[in-house]
Amino acid sequence: MSFRFCIYAVDLIAASLLVTACGGGGDGPAPVYSIGGTIAGLGTGLSVSLTNAGGAAVGFSANGAFTVATVSSNGSYSVAVASQPRGQTCTVSAGSGGQVAANVTSIQVLCISQPEFAYVANEVGRSVSQYLVAANGSLQPLATPTVASGDISGIAVDPTAQHLYAAGASSSTISQYSIGADGALHPLTPPTLTLGNSCLPAGIAVHPKGGFVYATCAANNALAQFSVNPDGSLTSLAPATVATGIAPNAITIDPAGQHAYVPNSGDDSVSQYNVGADGTLTAMTIPTVMAGRSPVTVAIDAAGQHAYVVNLTDGTVSQFAILASGMLQPLPVAHVAAGHGATGMVIHPSGQFAYVANTTDGTVSQYAVDAGGDLLPLTPASVVAGGFAVAVSIDPNGHYLYAVNNGIDTVSQYSIGADGHLTPMATPSVATGSRPQAIVTAY
């Protein structure tokens, strides 16, 4: 009996091993399934980030099939938009489910472009012209084509496109507006903020993350700084102003909102500041760097790596690298030629192209931007605008450029090619108010 028992025991062990090897014991890995679907309507060069169940965001830059995550058998999913593409709103449908037993391919992400608007500051006309950017890029006046303002010379929109601010140099005021869903401007209460004759604001900018507004005071070589109230109105910070160089013209803040730069046309310098968490500006250890003759504008690329200073008198653009500290360091090629009376400048959202408005020439210079940040003139080096082109702006999606012509009260409008070249639209210009001085686009 002992012999027979041993054989029986061995048979049981063998059978047990056989069952385990076949997976019958239930200890093998559970199946894993992909979670995805289809993206449609995403604009060229844009990206949308998606997340599953609040996990890590995954970015997508093309339409078509996508996979955002994987889940185990009988698991669940909940897909949402983590960050929207610039100028578009993406929505998710069929984005959640449970008891997953196969790959999920039914989630739909649909991206729709937001309406774009443009606003022009008319200095002598004491108004703001307001336009819809049509599907073909042309500017179409809104039902109410202008709203009243002071004698404004600078204009800025907050990053949420809910409020607009216009600096009135001669009146020493800032006009403040809310922006309706249809793009129309509505004066806030109060409609203007009086700064006093000691300021005479020339340029104005909104912090890229919102919450703060800054205006240059040409009369007393200072920069006024404000916090933004919940209703969009402005309140002076403490201190209310910080010192600049002589005759400050404009202010530009880097995309991260950490540093600010002011060109001073009276002493050929650029003041450089750190931006505090409370919005106040503090001069850097080296408070200024030298530019060309009569610097009037600073433009910064979207990556925050390079800054360009437009010099009115010598018709050049000074080129700088932005160090980790925020300080400006001249590039090996410190200056490149622009046109006569160079004034306004804009960098393409892609960072690959740049454009300068030339007042005396009535032209727009066009450049490619190489990997090192140098501006390389395209061929041809410029295109014709109208009389006294003073400012340029690009629509948020980077498809169109607009040049303000101060001498003939128009805006020239161009399509931007894949290679950066400007081509006049079928309708090459639209009318503005009297003596337009600045332009901004928003969505």
Side-chain angles (χ1 to χ4, degrees):
M1 290 181 62
S2 175
F3 177 76
R4 292 181 179 176
F5 175 79
C6 288
I7 295 298
Y8 181 68
V10 171
D11 288 343
L12 288 176
I13 293 172
S16 176
L17 291 172
L18 179 62
V19 171
T20 302
C22 293
D27 294 331
V32 174
Y33 301 108
S34 61
I35 304 301
T38 304
I39 297 173
L42 183 63
T44 303
L46 303 180
S47 63
V48 59
S49 293
L50 304 177
T51 182
N52 178 51
V58 181
F60 301 93
S61 57
N63 292 306
F66 75 90
T67 297
V68 68
T70 58
V71 299
S72 300
S73 178
N74 294 320
S76 62
Y77 60 93
S78 178
V79 175
V81 175
S83 64
Q84 298 283 2
R86 184 183 67 251
Q88 290 193 303
T89 300
C90 299
T91 56
V92 177
S93 59
S96 61
Q99 300 297 309
V100 175
N103 292 333
V104 175
T105 60
S106 57
I107 300 173
Q108 300 293 315
V109 178
L110 178 62
C111 301
I112 299 175
S113 295
Q114 301 169 6
E116 298 180 14
F117 304 98
Y119 304 93
V120 174
N122 304 305
E123 186 172 21
V124 174
R126 303 176 71 87
S127 66
V128 179
S129 297
Q130 45 189 12
Y131 308 86
L132 171 70
V133 179
N136 64 358
S138 63
L139 301 185
Q140 298 181 351
L142 297 185
T144 302
T146 62
V147 294
S149 70
D151 51 336
I152 54 177
S153 56
I155 195 167
V157 172
D158 81 311
T160 65
Q162 293 182 335
H163 297 97
L164 180 144
Y165 305 94
S170 298
S171 60
S172 199
T173 60
I174 295 178
S175 299
Q176 40 193 19
Y177 306 87
S178 64
I179 302 176
D182 60 354
L185 300 181
H186 304 279
L188 296 180
T189 302
T192 59
L193 182 67
T194 301
L195 305 183
N197 292 332
S198 61
C199 183
L200 306 183
I204 191 165
V206 182
H207 191 282
K209 299 185 185 303
F212 308 103
V213 170
Y214 307 89
T216 56
C217 295
N220 62 350
N221 302 326
L223 186 69
Q225 45 189 12
F226 307 89
S227 62
V228 180
N229 299 316
D231 66 350
S233 61
L234 304 181
T235 298
S236 292
L237 292 173
T241 62
V242 294
T244 65
I246 299 174
N249 281 273
I251 176 170
T252 300
I253 305 166
D254 79 307
Q258 298 177 338
H259 311 292
Y261 307 92
V262 174
N264 306 298
S265 61
D267 59 14
D268 300 340
S269 72
V270 177
S271 299
Q272 42 189 13
Y273 307 87
N274 293 314
V275 182
D278 61 356
T280 57
L281 304 184
T282 304
M284 293 186 188
T285 305
I286 300 175
T288 61
V289 294
M290 299 308 295
R293 296 176 59 196
S294 305
V296 291
T297 302
V298 177
I300 298 176
D301 64 4
Q305 296 179 339
H306 297 95
Y308 304 90
V309 181
V310 178
N311 305 302
L312 174 67
T313 300
D314 57 14
T316 64
V317 178
S318 300
Q319 309 184 121
F320 298 89
I322 302 177
L323 304 180
S325 64
M327 292 185 183
L328 302 184
Q329 176 177 285
L331 294 182
V333 178
H335 309 282
V336 296
H340 295 296
T343 51
M345 183 174 185
V346 66
I347 309 294
H348 191 275
S350 69
Q352 297 179 328
F353 310 107
Y355 306 91
V356 174
N358 304 302
T359 303
T360 305
D361 286 353
T363 62
V364 177
S365 297
Q366 47 186 8
Y367 306 86
V369 183
D370 71 12
D374 287 300
L375 301 183
L376 307 175
L378 296 178
T379 302
S382 64
V383 295
V384 175
F388 297 97
V390 295
V392 283
S393 182
I394 293 176
D395 81 292
N397 288 318
H399 298 151
Y400 311 106
L401 180 140
Y402 308 96
V404 172
N405 302 306
N406 180 268
I408 57 175
D409 301 342
T410 64
V411 174
S412 296
Q413 40 190 18
Y414 308 85
S415 297
I416 302 175
D419 58 0
H421 284 89
L422 301 180
T423 301
M425 293 185 191
T427 302
S429 65
V430 295
T432 66
S434 180
R435 294 295 184 267
Q437 194 71 17
I439 183 171
V440 65
T441 55
Y443 50 71

